Each structure stands twice: as C-alpha cells, then as structure tokens.
Amino acid sequence: MAAMASAANIAGFVGFKPASANAPRGSRVRASVARRVGSVTRAVATPSKKEAPEEPKRSKVEIIKQESNFLRHPLIEELATEATSISEDAAQLYKFHGGYQQDDREKRSFGAGKFYQFMMRTKQPAGTVPNKLYLVMDDLADSHGNGTLRLTTRQTYQLHGILKTDLKETFQRVIRNMGSTLGACGDINRNVMGSPAPYKNRPEYTIAQNLAKDIGDLLAPQSGAYYDVWLDGEQLLTVERPEVTEARMDNRFGTNFVGSPEPIYGTQFLPRKFKIGVTVPGDNHIDFLTNDMGICVVMKDGVHVGYNMWVGGGMGRSHRNEDTFARIATELGYVDKDDIFYAVKAITCAARDYGRRDDRKQARLKYLIDSWGIDKFKAVSEQYMGKKFLPMAELPAWEMPTYLGWHEQGDGKLWYGVHVVNGRVRGDAKKALRAVIERYELPVRLTAQQDLLLTEIDPAWKADIMATLAAGGVKDVSEVDPLDALSIACPALPLCGLAITEAERGLPDINSRLRATMNKVGLAPDEAVLIRMTGCPNGCARPYMAELGFVGDGPSSYQIWLGGTANLLTLARPFEDKVKASDIETFFEPVFYAYKTGRNASEKFGDWVNRVGFETIKAAQGSYTGLPA
C-alpha cells in the first residue's frame, strides 16, 4: 500500500475540533468557523500580549459551503441566467443537489469553447426503483438527456447530456414522481448501498434494504434548500420512520448543531463524500469494505439481533501522490439493532468533526482512521454514541453473487437479473426493457454490478418477457461471457472531467481481446476473472478490489492492478504502469500462460496471483518466448 499520511499532517488541521479527541463536548451552534479555539487562563500579574487569532486553513469548497445559506446561493441565481453554464461556486453546490456540470469534449466547436451540459444522479437506497420512477427516468433520457440511461456502481441512475435550460424541469419531474437526487454527490452521505436481491423468504435482505432507506433519511439534508432551488420553495410530503427523526434530533452527547436548520451537518456539511453500504451475512455483492461505513445484518437463530460495523474504506487516490491510497474498511464492532441509528450518527459526526478540511485529498474518513488508528476512532465514536461497541459477531464466509438470470423470490413470484454492459441502457435494449417493465408494472432493482433486476414477475409472464427482451438484443446470462458478466467500468470519456482515457467505451473490446488471449494459452472458455476499469485513479468502479484492474494513467494507457479476490475481500496492488491498450495481448499472454500452467485445481486468478507473488509473474513475463510448439 502507498505510504500513509502522517499524524503530524493530520494534526495540523482536523476540522471542527482540535486534534486531541479529549476536548470537551457540548451543544453546538451553527458552524461558521472550522474549529473551536480554546481560551487560555493566565495569572493576573502575567503581562498579556495581544495576538491575532490564528485563522484555520480551509479549502475553497469549505468557504463556498459556509457562504451558501445551506446550499442555496449562488446556485439559485446562476440557474436563472441565460448562460449555458454555471459558475464554479454554483457547480460545487450543484453537486449536493445531485449532479455535475460537464463538458462534452467531443462536441466542442472550433472557437466556441466548452460544450456544457449537466449530469443528474438519483438516490436509490439499496437500488430500489418503483415502476413509476423507472418509466419517468426512461422518458427523461430521451426528452432531456442523451437518449441513454446510466446505471452506476452505487445502485443509482445517471442522466447525461441535460442542457441548462432543461435542468429545472428534469429535477421537478424526478422529485414529483417518487424520486430524489438530494445528496447524490457532494460532501455528504451519498446513496446508501444495500444487497438488492428481492428475497421474500430471507428476512435479512428486507432488513438490510429497509435500513439503507432509513440511513438515507437519517443523514438527508434538512434545511429545505433542495425545494427552494428546484420547486421554488414548494415542499413535498416525505415520510420517514419516527425512530429516524428521534435519532437525528437526539443531542444527549453533543452531536448536533443546536438551532441550525441542519442539525447534523451545520453550515459546513462533511469534509468530503461519505459512503455507506448495508449487506447481509455471506453476501458481498455491494463490495461493502470499500465504504466509509460498512454494515452487516446479524441474525441469531433466524431472529434479527443487531449489526456488525466496519469503517474507513475508500477507493480514491491520485497518481504519483503517495499520501493518497485505496483502503479497505476496518472492523469497528457490533451494536444491538436498536442502537444502529445512533451508531451511524456517531461515526458520521466523528468524521464531520475530525476530518480534514484544509486538504480535500486527505479529507476522507480513511485518512483519519489511518492516522489515529481504529482504537482511538472507536473511543471517539463511542463518546458520540454514549455506548461501547461490542465484539464483532461471527459471520459465514463471503462470496460475490451477481444476481443475473432467473431466481425465485420465495413468494411464488420470480425475479430476472439482466446484464447491462457497463451500465449503459440504450437503443433497442432500452426499448425492450421499457416494454416489459411497463406492460407488467414491474418494480426494478439496480445492482452494484451496473445490472437490472426485474422483480415481482408472475411465472406466467416469463416466456413473453424472454421473447421481448431477446427481440431487443438483450442477452440472457447464459449467452454472456463471464468476463463481461463480472466486469464494471466508469463512464470516463468524453464527459467526465477527470478522465484520462477510456473506460466504459473501451472495456468491451479489451475484454474480448483478453478472452482471445486466455483461449490461446488454453484456459477454459468460461474461465471467470473479475475485471474492472476506470479512466482515472479516483476509483469509481472500484478497480482496486478487482482480480485484474485497469486504471487510466495516460491516453490509451493503463496502470495494471492485480491481486484482488473474487469475493472482494482483498485489496489489489499496482503491478505495472503505462501499459498501452495496443499491447494488451503481448502483456497478458505470458501472465495467463503462467496462470494456466501453475495454478492449483480450481484456483481463482486473484488467489493465484497472491500465492505466487509479483516477482514470479514478472519473471514469467521476462522469460516467455511463446507457446510450446
């Protein structure tokens, strides 16, 4: 792993609170400064020298948040102008409302500058999508977007290609049709992931999915700015459980900003993005260790008793910056089921108060935990919660199901997992999916693998659904190459401003070439390797957990990561830099041949990499002269 950020650097500025975790805590007022400044007691006879108070360092985004009146200004004013874009300050606020201002690099006109458009991202806790919202999103993709629906690696939708003139109407349509985008981006709790399988006879799945929604409600912004910006102040009725409201407003342990429209967030919200995932024993579909907070339902003799909790995961890093690194979450402890909201709130508030606000590249929770150590972080979180975390409950071994194909829900109905290539729903496949979802009024689930689950299917509808989808070119899982079925990619070029090279558009061809190379060395045609690709090092498609990760490091060039495992429990490691897309076959042929000839029976690619080590693999590359005659 890359070099860790030093404790001295963290101590230089840690957020609302001083570096000492033992500072007194009480009620808070609106946060207009980054941290408290303690008073100094002097002897009466001691001459005092007036010293200007040290101004804490803060990033530009911290100032934008502070001066925005809880995410309102200047976004409201910028949206009303005739310009095709919004200012940088407004664009930072727009993230909190659910999207990014983007520039389509391939549509720029000579001398005309950037071609501005907007991406909108929804929040779908545990990937749940009502039938009505799916149809609205499908319509909006055609009327206000670029004609495609994008399914993300965090179980949400993205609409790309929205022009500024259409932005407000697009948001209004989503909000009025059972959807929300609030907090889908920005320094805030993002969409809460959850195991999406719609089992009706396995209560742990329903518990996880409900908790994902409840946590989303608990940590949702409360000021009303969202409605001021998009609905001109009209408030829509939203429903949350009374227990959620009670936990949010509880201030017994000094967690809240008293009198603030944002009792948890204050004016400054969080130091950086905050990601949470909820899973069930043995099911690691959502890659839960990559989250700032991972939660697993704990059952005992078929009865729900509590939750195991992990903290400090995160994928983002920067090339050539060894102080940034990918990290998997660390075990924190177990809480009883009635304490989960308070535990989630306590961890969030610890991240809020002690996360760095001077350096956004060091602001994620993982860097705080890496600096402090888990014991100190646990102690601080326990102060906010008012209870101790208990030892972790024992859990079964983990695996990563895809949920593709036909499955029984457990109530006489079926669900069907549809593979969507890198999450992009387009063309005839989009029309076919729309037809069956509308015809049978099917609710939908979005998966962490960028796929779709069609749910609540009467077995009598199966044949028609299969025929309709096949006519639209939608492949059944039995027709999908296992490399494609397991792989995911970020959008990258041409819209993402951080992209260095291709990902979504480039991975299908690379997968095909990798398959041909695997076949050439004699690996089975259905050999499965978990492959992920991103166009930059920020890690949106979680490449650092893959058995084989491609991370863009230049035009048509990738840093290769190896050593993740098929059950998503092991962090991969950088194997080689600057591998050109044109050299894929020559680079991987000796690697796959060494795997073919040196693996143990049924040994997965990632497990083989970790057993033999990088030196052995590089030696195999160096000595390879081609396949034996």
Side-chain angles (χ1 to χ4, degrees):
M1 183 181 292
M4 308 305 179
S6 69
N9 288 338
I10 294 289
F13 181 80
V14 290
F16 291 135
K17 288 197 165 188
S20 168
N22 298 317
R25 291 175 296 107
S27 298
R28 291 184 178 80
V29 295
R30 289 175 55 179
S32 59
V33 297
R35 64 168 176 166
R36 300 182 178 193
V37 180
S39 61
V40 178
T41 303
R42 301 178 185 274
V44 174
T46 303
S48 61
K49 178 182 177 182
K50 287 189 176 182
E51 297 177 355
E54 180 183 351
E55 184 69 21
K57 295 179 181 178
R58 288 186 288 169
S59 70
K60 180 182 177 182
V61 176
E62 291 298 312
I63 307 301
I64 293 171
K65 289 186 286 187
Q66 176 185 315
E67 297 178 349
S68 70
N69 189 16
F70 301 97
L71 310 179
R72 291 177 172 86
H73 310 293
L75 181 58
I76 290 175
E77 292 80 5
E78 293 278 343
L79 289 173
T81 70
E82 295 183 359
T84 60
S85 63
I86 57 179
S87 69
E88 176 58 26
D89 286 9
Q92 289 293 338
L93 300 180
Y94 176 63
K95 294 177 183 179
F96 290 80
H97 290 262
Y100 288 85
Q101 179 171 245
Q102 296 183 327
D103 163 37
D104 191 332
R105 305 183 207 181
E106 295 177 351
K107 290 186 177 180
R108 294 176 181 172
S109 300
F110 181 75
K114 295 182 178 181
F115 187 90
Y116 284 108
Q117 53 186 274
F118 293 80
M119 179 269 281
M120 182 186 75
R121 181 185 297 158
T122 66
K123 290 185 82 171
Q124 313 293 154
T128 57
V129 182
N131 175 265
K132 182 179 182 181
L133 180 60
Y134 184 94
L135 300 178
V136 167
M137 295 300 295
D138 186 78
D139 287 338
L140 287 172
D142 294 333
S143 63
H144 290 62
N146 65 2
T148 72
L149 269 177
R150 168 76 182 182
L151 315 182
T152 77
T153 58
R154 290 193 64 80
Q155 300 178 278
T156 67
Y157 287 119
Q158 286 182 182
L159 281 183
H160 291 273
I162 308 169
L163 299 179
K164 184 185 170 189
T165 51
D166 295 327
L167 202 54
K168 201 162 185 177
E169 181 183 351
T170 305
F171 273 75
Q172 290 173 351
R173 293 263 309 268
V174 171
I175 295 167
R176 296 184 189 282
N177 286 279
M178 307 174 70
S180 177
T181 67
L182 178 59
C185 313
D187 302 342
I188 199 167
N189 176 54
R190 302 290 187 90
N191 188 58
V192 182
M193 299 179 75
S195 303
Y199 289 114
K200 300 301 176 62
N201 58 347
R202 299 177 65 177
E204 62 270 29
Y205 279 88
T206 301
I207 292 166
Q209 292 153 12
N210 288 341
L211 180 61
K213 180 187 182 304
D214 288 340
I215 292 174
D217 291 341
L218 173 69
L219 299 179
Q222 299 295 304
S223 75
Y226 187 60
Y227 298 109
D228 288 346
V229 172
W230 304 110
L231 298 181
D232 299 322
E234 177 189 352
Q235 298 285 322
L236 295 186
L237 178 65
T238 58
V239 179
E240 67 182 21
R241 293 175 58 201
E243 296 90 337
V244 172
T245 309
E246 181 180 352
R248 182 191 303 114
M249 301 310 299
D250 183 275
N251 197 35
R252 290 171 296 164
F253 305 104
T255 51
N256 289 19
F257 293 99
V258 177
S260 172
E262 294 290 354
I264 293 178
Y265 291 130
T267 61
Q268 302 306 120
F269 293 80
L270 298 180
R272 203 67 167 82
K273 66 181 73 170
F274 199 77
K275 298 179 177 181
I276 301 174
V278 186
T279 189
V280 303
D283 185 335
N284 194 18
H285 171 83
I286 65 166
D287 218 347
F288 77 99
L289 292 178
T290 62
N291 288 275
D292 293 272
M293 190 188 313
I295 303 170
C296 182
V297 175
V298 174
M299 310 289 286
K300 185 176 181 180
D301 300 324
V303 177
H304 178 214
V305 293
Y307 301 91
N308 279 352
M309 304 190 75
W310 293 255
V311 289
M315 294 285 98
R317 51 176 287 276
S318 298
H319 288 313
R320 295 173 295 281
N321 183 346
E322 294 301 305
D323 288 335
T324 66
F325 47 84
R327 188 182 191 277
I328 58 175
T330 303
E331 291 184 359
L332 183 66
Y334 167 89
V335 295
D336 290 332
K337 64 179 183 179
D338 292 337
D339 294 327
I340 187 60
F341 297 148
Y342 299 92
V344 168
K345 182 180 176 183
I347 293 165
T348 305
C349 291
R352 175 197 70 193
D353 286 354
Y354 294 99
R356 290 183 64 170
R357 292 178 182 266
D358 61 331
D359 184 350
R360 290 180 64 78
K361 289 186 179 294
Q362 293 289 317
R364 289 289 297 274
L365 178 60
K366 63 182 177 180
Y367 297 113
L368 178 64
I369 292 175
D370 192 77
S371 171
W372 275 8
I374 192 62
D375 290 338
K376 181 175 179 178
F377 182 81
K378 180 187 292 187
V380 172
S381 297
E382 287 171 344
Q383 291 176 43
Y384 282 106
M385 183 168 61
K387 283 188 176 183
K388 296 282 189 181
F389 288 97
L390 301 175
M392 301 282 278
E394 187 174 347
L395 295 173
W398 296 95
E399 60 181 22
M400 199 285 285
T402 65
Y403 305 133
L404 295 176
W406 288 97
H407 302 262
E408 295 184 358
Q409 293 185 174
D411 61 352
K413 293 188 176 181
L414 307 173
W415 98 71
Y416 183 52
V418 178
H419 174 61
V420 179
V421 179
N422 295 328
R424 187 69 65 175
V425 184
R426 66 171 81 232
D428 290 341
K430 179 175 175 291
K431 295 175 183 177
L433 284 164
R434 166 68 181 243
V436 298
I437 291 168
E438 187 170 30
R439 183 181 305 152
Y440 296 112
E441 300 182 354
L442 303 179
V444 167
R445 306 281 177 96
L446 311 182
T447 84
Q449 286 287 112
Q450 304 177 296
D451 296 322
L452 273 177
L453 308 184
L454 310 181
T455 70
E456 302 295 329
I457 298 173
D458 188 304
W461 306 338
K462 180 177 178 179
D464 179 62
I465 289 173
M466 289 291 285
T468 303
L469 294 180
V474 177
K475 293 182 179 180
D476 183 67
V477 65
S478 61
E479 304 170 287
V480 177
D481 188 303
L483 295 183
D484 294 327
L486 289 174
S487 68
I488 57 177
C490 70
L493 297 176
L495 295 176
C496 179
L498 301 175
I500 305 168
T501 191
E502 298 284 1
E504 175 190 330
R505 299 190 303 190
L507 185 54
D509 177 65
I510 285 181
N511 273 354
S512 177
R513 292 162 60 194
L514 289 172
R515 172 60 71 198
T517 305
M518 294 168 75
N519 290 343
K520 180 180 177 180
V521 303
L523 287 167
D526 61 350
E527 185 73 43
V529 176
L530 196 153
I531 300 171
R532 293 174 171 178
M533 178 179 283
T534 56
C536 80
N538 284 280
C540 293
R542 305 185 291 275
Y544 310 118
M545 300 300 289
E547 293 183 282
L548 170 50
F550 291 85
V551 179
D553 64 359
S556 300
S557 174
Y558 298 91
Q559 186 180 56
I560 304 300
W561 288 63
L562 301 178
T565 51
N567 57 5
L568 301 174
L569 297 182
T570 305
L571 199 64
R573 306 180 308 284
F575 180 77
E576 189 66 72
D577 294 334
K578 300 293 182 181
V579 176
K580 290 293 186 181
S582 58
D583 296 332
I584 290 297
E585 289 86 354
T586 55
F587 184 85
F588 281 104
E589 184 174 319
V591 176
F592 289 145
Y593 182 72
Y595 171 49
K596 164 68 167 58
T597 56
R599 70 191 295 195
N600 293 329
S602 302
E603 189 173 28
K604 297 282 190 180
F605 181 70
D607 295 328
W608 170 78
V609 168
N610 293 325
R611 178 174 61 82
V612 303
F614 281 6
E615 287 188 11
T616 298
I617 300 172
K618 286 182 180 291
Q621 284 182 304
S623 62
Y624 187 71
T625 58
L627 295 175

